[in-house]
Amino acid sequence: MVIKVFLASSSGSTAIKKKQQDVLGFLEALKVDYAPLDIACNEDNRMWMRENVPVEKKPTNGIPLPPQIFNEESYCGDYETFFDAKEDNAVYAFLGLPPPPGSKEAKEAYLLENGPVENGTIVNGTDDAEDEENLEAEEENIDDDTLKREVPMEECNGDEHTEEVEAEVGGETGEEAAEEKVAEEKEAVEDTEESLENTKAPVKEEEAQEEAEDEEAKGEDDQPVSEEEEELRQLEEEEAPEVRGGRRRSDRGSRAGRRG
């Protein structure tokens, strides 16, 4: 089947030229085979077009304007109906052609005929590209589930939670782990205090020994003098003036001898 497009190559209307370009450009984009038939240079084409456009589709003056579209001998429509079909994704239905498998229009047509689809099947011989996309999506979901099961607990929770996970695996709860940590800290504090006490003990012993020695020396100074020691002291004090006087007399005698 060949699509016939009746147009006027030498039309002086800018609007008609634009409509003709839109129709031909869209057909080329869809890769639809068509035959342009010029009514400006060919009288037979013009007469055939006027005779085969349905009466209800003709304007009030009875002369249809290009572009007019036919599928072989069957009338498809003018530019306005073509534009509406394009907006509704129904160009193939407008042209009387079967939509290519996998196209959006083919899927919509199948849904209208058969209702909702199951398992992603829309048309006979489903689009291979769509099937591949569905398979890839399913494989990605499977891979994600596998990774979630295989990832170690430490990597999921981070290094900071490793100790908590190990405690739970060993049968310890979070509260027991916290109590054990508090006990360890308390024991460390006690060890520190004990070491400080051991360091202070030698210092206290030295201070006590020095105080004892001072007390002993003070006690010796304060002890009473015996009677014998007191008598010796008095004798020494009495002898001291005599010795000094004898020395003076001796000095005087020696001086007188020298003078004589």
Side-chain angles (χ1 to χ4, degrees), residues 98-255:
S103 65
K104 187 173 182 180
E105 189 172 341
K107 296 174 184 179
E108 292 178 355
Y110 185 85
L111 289 174
L112 291 174
E113 271 185 41
N114 303 292
V117 297
E118 294 180 359
N119 299 327
T121 302
I122 295 178
V123 292
N124 294 331
T126 55
D127 190 12
D128 294 337
E130 184 177 358
D131 291 341
E132 291 178 0
E133 291 177 0
N134 293 333
L135 289 174
E136 289 176 358
E138 291 177 1
E139 290 176 356
E140 290 178 359
N141 293 333
I142 293 172
D143 293 339
D144 292 341
D145 295 338
T146 305
L147 289 174
K148 289 178 181 178
R149 289 194 298 270
E150 293 179 354
V151 171
M153 188 69 69
E154 293 84 351
E155 295 181 8
C156 290
N157 296 335
D159 296 337
E160 61 182 357
H161 300 298
T162 304
E163 295 180 358
E164 296 179 2
V165 173
E166 291 177 353
E168 292 178 0
V169 172
E172 295 180 0
T173 61
E175 294 180 357
E176 291 176 352
E179 291 177 359
E180 183 179 352
K181 188 174 181 181
V182 171
E184 291 177 357
E185 292 178 354
K186 186 177 180 181
E187 184 177 353
V189 171
E190 291 176 355
D191 293 340
T192 304
E193 292 178 353
E194 184 177 354
S195 63
L196 290 174
E197 290 294 333
N198 294 334
T199 305
K200 293 179 180 179
V203 177
K204 290 182 179 179
E205 290 179 0
E206 291 178 1
E207 292 178 354
Q209 186 176 358
E210 291 178 358
E211 290 179 359
E213 291 177 356
D214 293 342
E215 291 293 334
E216 184 179 353
K218 184 177 180 182
E220 291 177 358
D221 294 339
D222 295 341
Q223 287 180 357
V225 181
S226 63
E227 293 179 358
E228 294 177 357
E229 291 178 352
E230 182 66 23
E231 290 178 358
L232 289 173
R233 188 173 62 78
Q234 289 178 358
L235 288 174
E236 289 176 357
E237 290 178 356
E238 290 177 356
E239 289 177 357
E242 291 179 359
V243 173
R244 287 195 294 273
R247 288 178 180 174
R248 289 175 182 174
R249 286 194 296 270
S250 175
D251 294 339
R252 288 175 183 174
S254 63
R255 291 175 183 172

Side-chain angles (χ1 to χ4, degrees), residues 76-89:
C76 296
D78 56 7
Y79 175 79
E80 281 71 20
T81 52
F82 173 83
F83 181 82
D84 293 339
K86 184 174 69 171
E87 291 295 318
D88 296 337
N89 292 316

